[in-house]
Amino acid sequence: MSTFSELGLKEEILSALIDMGYETPSEIQEKAIPQVITSTDDLKAFAQTGTGKTAAFSLPIIQQIDVENSNVQAIILSPTRELAVQIGDQIEKFSKNIRGLKVVTVYGGASIEDQTRKLNRGAQIVVGTPGRTVDLINRRRLKLGNLQWLVLDEADEMLNMGFKDDLDAVLESTPETKQTLLFSATFPREVEAIARNYMHQPVEISAGTKNTGSDNVSNEYYVVTERNRYAAIKRIADVNPDIYGIIFCRTRRECQEVSEKLIADGYNADSLHGDLSQAQRDGVMQKFRNKTIQMLVATDVAARGLDVNNLTHVINHKLPDQNEAYTHRSGRTGRAGNTGTSIVLVTNREVGKLRPIERKIQKKFIKKEVPNGKEICEIQLFKLVEKVKSTEINTEAISEYLENIYTQFEGLSREELIQKFISVEFNAFLEYYSKANDINDNRPARESDDRGKRRDDENMSRFFINIGRKDSLTPPRLMGLINDQNITNNVEIGQIEILDTFSFFELDKNFEKETIDAFLANNPEFEGRSVNVEITKKRRSGGGGGGRGDRRPRRDGGNFRGGDRNDRPRRDRDNNSSDFKGRRRESRSGGASRVQNKSWGRKRD
Ligand code: AMP
């Protein structure tokens, strides 16, 4: 292994690297730096995110910049504003001891006039997003006639994001003599085409294997039904109280839904997607970087520019549409020498989709079981013990009460005292998870039916209710009615069938008695009718059989899957929106993913 000095870097750069804590070069730096310093050949580099590629292309360029000449000598194109800003910042740090070296970063969504002014003052290095760069070139505010280096960073991602025309435009408006450095984590056809069309016999280097995931990442999967995806995320967060990760969703809507549920359930989460304004994005990113947010729910594109090295987890709420994207997602963890876990939630039918990804990343997925209530309680219990141990005592504030407190605890042994204090919270944990179902879907694939049409869920009991469509009952109104009975915290609601004059609903079998008792005690009315609920036999798959449960629904009888009630924010009962904010703030300081204390026992999956 070489040192930075052996790679041929000059003193001004070496001293800056020491200040930045860079001791030894990474593999891609070891290969790229001497190559670009000693040769003007084009370079094609296979490099994942997090491998140190920014320094790999920046340092040899900084080394060779002519500071006496204020023309643009190098341009670095990157897919997102965030990444461009990070690269610009890094270059400033690398070159802080080189007088006269200037870098300007240009990107959309910010004043083009300001950027033009900075360019007019002279800059040898420009970092830009493709769209704004082309805009500035077209307006003749960015002049690339003296360009010597063109870097395409994350070329695959720029093409994925639809910047092909912009890249073509930049490549065509720069001198033939320039040296082109192309960095990409993957080399699909489109990237190869860029290399073929615009590069001259490039030298190829690679850090790590092509198209593979990082060795530092453990790839795991959990098999759950469609409606338990969210519950699984919560349990994963609960057994990893210090989780710091990204939950990837395919669409903005999915992103929004998952993050809203997490926030409503008291987790430190927020979302990052294309519907946010730049100021909102910056705010979310800032909160994530300083760990105010532990779980960032993001779309693939939105998460690209995020440079965070110590993520513990990446969670794939759903698999990406393209296998290629899995490498990008999982590569967000296990960076800069850290280890990480990439988790995929799949339904029984989707397990087969893991195989092609395994071939691509050249690693096997490990099947994991969604933790049960006991496992979660145990982890949270010891988290609590740790918290008690590390709590600082405010002697001044507490001293005046101590005498009285000691008197009150007189007669209790040390063991009893500890047990009592711990039980104050642990009893709530236990209650919260005591009836938590196993949400692993271990049925053979053909038996599972995620659409829930004729699903016979043995964890559910079926109830008859004497109101129906003629009473203006709808599935959401029925769910509201059930919620209003305060049966227990977050009882799970299953299938709902609304018929003309009566209806059926399924509820967690553990709460049969509580359900009947609650309706009896509350004696609710609905549209002027007294409501009566009875337990009934479950409808057999395929129909038939006796009892109330076998009254055949009309063909158009509204069949609605109520879903996991826990999946819904419960603003109606024990929350209101201002309360959410207060509780989120409260949870930050606690460090645990779930809001401490009282929130336990509120929501059960
Ligand atoms: P990059 O792949 O360029 O985004 O780098 C990933 C992270 O690793 C950044 O935070 C860099 O500051 C850091 N890094 C890159 N190279 C080194 C190095 N040789 N030593 C220590 N940290 C590094």
Side-chain angles (χ1 to χ4, degrees):
M1 194 183 289
S2 5
T3 61
F4 280 110
S5 149
E6 283 162 359
L7 299 183
L9 293 170
K10 56 188 181 187
E11 197 47 50
E12 293 96 317
I13 298 178
L14 295 175
S15 55
L17 291 177
I18 290 170
D19 290 347
M20 292 172 73
Y22 284 32
E23 285 172 7
T24 43
S26 68
E27 189 186 352
I28 191 75
Q29 291 161 0
E30 219 171 4
K31 291 179 176 168
I33 293 171
Q35 170 64 31
V36 181
I37 289 179
T38 57
S39 155
T40 53
D41 288 344
D42 288 343
L43 179 76
K44 208 169 129 186
F46 299 89
Q48 305 279 335
T49 47
T51 50
K53 60 186 167 54
T54 311
F57 58 72
S58 306
L59 297 180
I61 292 176
I62 293 171
Q63 165 105 358
Q64 299 176 79
I65 289 285
D66 175 5
V67 288
E68 304 300 328
N69 177 346
S70 58
N71 289 320
V72 179
Q73 294 163 45
I75 184 152
I76 298 156
L77 294 180
S78 102
T80 63
R81 165 187 163 143
E82 287 75 21
L83 199 53
V85 169
Q86 275 164 32
I87 295 170
D89 289 348
Q90 293 268 85
I91 292 177
E92 273 182 6
K93 288 183 187 155
F94 294 143
S95 61
K96 68 173 186 178
N97 299 326
I98 304 180
R99 274 176 69 98
L101 193 146
K102 286 206 233 150
V103 54
V104 169
T105 307
V106 297
Y107 42 79
S111 159
I112 199 163
E113 300 306 331
D114 282 354
Q115 292 172 0
T116 306
R117 259 192 298 279
K118 286 185 186 150
L119 288 172
N120 288 343
R121 276 186 232 131
Q124 295 91 356
I125 303 180
V126 171
V127 188
T129 51
R132 178 54 60 97
T133 302
V134 170
D135 200 358
L136 286 162
I137 293 173
N138 290 342
R139 295 178 191 215
R140 303 191 189 290
R141 295 177 183 186
L142 175 58
K143 299 187 182 81
L144 299 177
N146 292 301
L147 199 77
Q148 289 188 52
W149 296 276
L150 168 70
V151 181
L152 302 174
D153 186 28
E154 308 217 352
D156 50 352
E157 209 43 48
M158 288 197 278
L159 292 169
N160 275 348
M161 290 169 70
F163 288 132
K164 172 150 190 334
D165 291 346
D166 292 329
L167 292 191
D168 285 340
V170 178
L171 283 155
E172 274 156 25
S173 62
T174 46
E176 273 282 303
T177 49
K178 69 183 179 290
Q179 181 176 19
T180 303
L181 314 176
L182 183 150
F183 282 73
S184 201
T186 58
F187 276 75
R189 266 201 321 275
E190 300 79 1
V191 178
E192 290 292 359
I194 292 264
R196 218 177 24 254
N197 297 337
Y198 295 105
M199 296 170 82
H200 307 290
Q201 300 179 329
V203 172
E204 290 191 14
I205 59 171
S206 124
T209 330
K210 289 183 202 177
N211 287 346
T212 64
S214 158
D215 273 351
N216 295 338
V217 179
S218 155
N219 298 274
E220 302 176 351
Y221 72 102
Y222 293 76
V223 187
V224 291
T225 58
E226 192 64 51
R227 71 192 172 119
N228 277 333
R229 272 188 214 273
Y230 174 68
I233 289 184
K234 290 208 304 178
R235 291 202 191 179
I236 290 165
D238 285 346
V239 280
N240 294 287
D242 296 319
I243 190 168
Y244 181 44
I246 303 181
I247 300 172
F248 278 99
C249 294
R250 286 185 305 187
T251 63
R252 295 168 186 189
R253 189 156 166 230
E254 187 186 323
C255 212
Q256 195 70 39
E257 278 171 12
V258 173
S259 74
E260 275 175 9
K261 285 180 192 171
L262 285 170
I263 292 166
D265 281 344
Y267 294 86
N268 296 325
D270 213 330
S271 60
L272 191 68
H273 54 72
D275 283 346
L276 303 182
S277 69
Q278 191 59 48
Q280 287 172 317
R281 285 168 63 91
D282 290 347
V284 173
M285 303 261 244
Q286 187 54 31
K287 281 193 265 168
F288 189 53
R289 283 204 188 94
N290 66 25
K291 297 199 177 177
T292 308
I293 295 171
Q294 284 183 272
M295 286 183 283
L296 183 70
V297 190
T299 54
D300 294 86
V301 169
R304 284 306 292 170
L306 198 67
D307 177 38
V308 181
N309 284 334
N310 45 353
L311 294 185
T312 57
H313 289 78
V314 159
I315 300 179
N316 295 261
H317 177 251
K318 288 189 181 167
L319 278 171
D321 289 328
Q322 288 171 350
N323 294 338
E324 201 74 45
Y326 180 80
T327 329
H328 289 298
R329 289 181 173 189
S330 59
R332 311 303 299 175
T333 184
R335 304 179 77 191
N338 297 320
T339 53
T341 307
S342 173
I343 290 175
V344 184
L345 301 176
V346 283
T347 64
N348 214 315
R349 291 155 182 268
E350 290 171 338
V351 176
K353 291 186 180 171
L354 297 174
R355 300 289 93 80
I357 298 178
E358 285 181 333
R359 282 197 291 276
K360 188 163 278 296
I361 62 173
Q362 292 170 21
K363 283 176 98 179
K364 283 263 169 229
F365 276 95
I366 304 160
K367 183 169 189 293
K368 291 277 182 169
E369 296 283 306
V370 183
N372 60 34
K374 183 166 184 293
E375 288 161 322
I376 293 171
C377 285
E378 200 174 304
I379 299 251
Q380 292 284 352
L381 175 63
F382 284 100
K383 175 88 189 162
L384 174 63
V385 171
E386 270 311 309
K387 193 174 151 200
V388 172
K389 272 170 63 184
S390 60
T391 297
E392 286 193 19
I393 301 169
N394 187 338
T395 326
E396 207 180 310
I398 203 171
S399 59
E400 64 176 299
Y401 310 106
L402 284 178
E403 207 53 48
N404 190 352
I405 295 171
Y406 292 148
T407 314
Q408 302 220 24
F409 286 133
E410 238 164 39
L412 288 177
S413 69
R414 174 180 179 273
E415 282 71 25
E416 281 171 326
L417 209 54
I418 292 175
Q419 286 164 22
K420 275 187 186 287
F421 266 94
I422 289 292
S423 299
V424 171
E425 286 207 14
F426 191 56
N427 286 352
F429 299 174
L430 281 179
E431 196 213 340
Y432 185 86
Y433 269 115
S434 61
K435 289 182 178 172
N437 296 331
D438 176 4
I439 58 170
N440 292 287
D441 187 2
N442 288 323
R443 292 167 296 161
R446 72 195 139 75
E447 274 181 35
S448 70
D449 184 349
D450 290 313
R451 291 161 302 179
K453 286 214 176 95
R454 291 194 310 178
R455 189 159 166 262
D456 188 16
D457 189 336
E458 61 194 25
N459 292 318
M460 291 290 178
S461 292
R462 188 168 162 87
F463 294 84
F464 164 88
I465 186 163
N466 65 326
I467 46 176
R469 199 178 294 111
K470 287 196 169 145
D471 306 292
S472 307
L473 186 68
T474 58
R477 291 192 79 191
L478 177 52
M479 289 175 72
L481 180 67
I482 297 167
N483 287 352
D484 286 345
Q485 306 318 309
N486 286 329
I487 296 164
T488 185
N489 284 320
N490 282 311
V491 63
E492 188 180 344
I493 303 175
Q495 246 184 8
I496 288 177
E497 284 171 48
I498 309 281
L499 307 177
D500 272 354
T501 54
F502 57 89
S503 306
F504 298 101
F505 60 88
E506 285 181 359
L507 229 72
D508 188 331
K509 156 166 137 189
N510 290 307
F511 299 103
E512 269 182 8
K513 183 171 176 324
E514 284 91 336
T515 306
I516 297 291
D517 288 353
F519 274 96
L520 275 176
N522 299 334
N523 196 14
E525 285 199 352
F526 189 87
E527 298 284 336
R529 281 186 69 187
S530 172
V531 171
N532 168 31
V533 165
E534 293 169 32
I535 191 122
T536 180
K537 269 196 211 157
K538 289 188 88 168
R539 180 162 60 96
R540 276 187 226 132
S541 336
R548 267 187 158 143
D550 299 309
R551 292 185 196 185
R552 307 275 305 203
R554 272 172 26 155
R555 208 136 350 117
D556 62 343
N559 193 347
F560 179 87
R561 190 130 197 96
D564 188 342
R565 174 177 163 190
N566 193 37
D567 285 353
R568 279 150 230 281
R570 300 179 58 226
R571 290 161 207 268
D572 53 329
R573 278 187 34 200
D574 52 359
N575 290 315
N576 57 48
S577 39
S578 62
D579 190 16
F580 289 160
K581 287 193 198 111
R583 288 168 57 209
R584 272 157 73 198
R585 257 183 238 120
E586 183 191 355
S587 67
R588 280 180 205 159
S589 52
S593 55
R594 183 176 287 279
V595 179
Q596 329 91 306
N597 318 346
K598 298 177 207 72
S599 71
W600 276 97
R602 282 179 182 233
K603 296 179 169 57
R604 198 171 69 78
D605 56 28

